[in-house]
Amino acid sequence: MADLLGSILSSMEKPPTVHDQESRRKAREQAARLKKIEEDEKRKKAEFRKKMEKEVSEFIQDSALQKKKYNPMGKIERSILHDVAEVAGLTSFSFGEDDESRYVMLFKKEFAPSDEELEAYRKGEEWNPQKAEERRRLKEQAALEMEEASRTQKRPASPNSNYRDKYSHLIGTSAAKDAAHTLQANRTYGCVPVANKRDTRSIEEAMNEIRAKKRLKKGEEEATGSSSSV
């Protein structure tokens, strides 16, 4: 019986000490503070979202505005603003080097930024449409010039001057073919026109002339032979 009573007494929890009571009190207070902080954060997020919804609505209704830039804000605030913009049908981007300097810009869908504009914001530069158009025009001009240069290099090489001009001091200003049509007969250099070479004698006259030449030649040979024998 004594053993049973001792077992029951040992299984019962001991009354908390003063130290245990203080620890539990602190734990309850800490849990209450955390709960209050969470509630405050939740309330602040709701208030911030409501404020952003109001500003986004005013931005949409203002037809003179195409974009809206906000001051730098924390990651949670940026996330809320991006969500509000998406629900409202807007385009939103965050820019900035570090978390403390990052800010949000909203754009209406019909005025969505170009790649060049986004690149300028990412570099921390102000967007200037006039300067951007000038840069775009210069890039297009440079591309056209490079394309033209590439085509010129592939094109077969051609002489810069006409051979007639290069050798005009030798062949004159007319080509040989052109000069052949205007060639004039020159007796001094033995150039006789074809018309002058035609034989107008009859056959009989030609044969008599040939016989006379043969007789003359034969007589000259005989005379030469007689003088040699003497």
Side-chain angles (χ1 to χ4, degrees):
M1 185 70 179
D3 293 337
L4 178 60
L5 181 61
S7 175
I8 294 173
L9 291 175
S10 62
S11 64
M12 294 177 61
E13 292 184 359
K14 297 180 180 179
T17 62
V18 176
H19 178 72
D20 293 337
Q21 292 177 351
E22 183 67 17
S23 297
R24 291 177 180 177
R25 183 184 64 81
K26 289 182 179 180
R28 287 194 299 270
E29 290 178 353
Q30 184 176 4
R33 285 195 301 268
L34 291 175
K35 184 177 181 180
K36 186 177 186 302
I37 291 173
E38 290 177 357
E39 291 176 350
D40 289 342
E41 289 293 331
K42 187 176 181 180
R43 177 180 54 80
K44 289 180 181 179
K45 289 179 181 179
E47 291 177 353
F48 181 79
R49 185 181 185 91
K50 187 175 181 179
K51 179 183 177 182
M52 292 298 100
E53 288 175 347
K54 183 175 181 297
E55 292 184 2
V56 168
S57 177
E58 293 174 351
F59 168 64
I60 293 174
Q61 294 175 8
D62 192 343
S63 59
L65 295 178
Q66 301 178 3
K67 58 189 175 183
K68 182 177 178 63
K69 178 181 178 181
Y70 284 85
N71 292 327
M73 59 181 66
K75 184 177 181 179
I76 295 176
E77 287 78 9
R78 294 197 308 270
S79 176
I80 294 173
L81 182 52
H82 284 304
D83 185 63
V84 172
E86 183 179 0
V87 173
L90 301 176
T91 303
S92 61
F93 295 92
S94 291
F95 304 102
E97 294 295 330
D98 49 51
D99 191 66
E100 294 181 357
S101 64
R102 288 185 71 78
Y103 61 92
V104 176
M105 286 190 70
L106 306 182
F107 298 86
K108 294 180 179 178
K109 290 283 183 150
E110 60 270 27
F111 301 108
S114 63
D115 293 339
E116 292 82 0
E117 184 174 358
L118 292 176
E119 185 64 22
Y121 293 137
R122 292 189 182 103
K123 292 180 180 179
E125 302 173 355
E126 290 295 330
W127 173 247
N128 189 316
Q130 289 76 20
K131 290 184 179 180
E133 178 63 23
E134 179 65 18
R135 287 196 297 267
R136 186 192 63 80
R137 189 184 63 80
L138 292 176
K139 285 183 180 180
E140 289 182 353
Q141 182 178 354
L144 290 174
E145 291 177 355
M146 290 180 64
E147 184 179 355
E148 179 64 24
S150 177
R151 286 200 302 264
T152 303
Q153 291 177 357
K154 294 179 181 179
R155 189 179 303 160
S158 58
N160 295 329
S161 60
N162 192 294
Y163 76 94
R164 295 186 181 183
D165 298 332
K166 186 175 181 180
Y167 299 104
S168 60
H169 63 289
L170 298 175
I171 65 175
T173 57
S174 298
K177 186 176 180 180
D178 298 334
H181 292 293
T182 58
L183 180 64
Q184 298 295 329
N186 191 330
R187 295 178 183 274
T188 305
Y189 295 97
C191 184
V192 181
V194 176
N196 296 344
K197 294 182 179 181
R198 292 178 182 174
D199 196 346
T200 58
R201 299 173 299 172
S202 64
I203 296 176
E204 185 178 354
E205 292 175 345
M207 293 299 295
N208 291 333
E209 185 175 347
I210 292 172
R211 294 190 188 98
K213 287 181 179 181
K214 286 183 177 180
R215 286 195 298 268
L216 179 60
K217 184 177 181 180
K218 186 177 180 181
E220 291 177 352
E221 290 177 353
E222 290 177 353
T224 302
S226 299
S227 61
S228 299
S229 61
V230 176

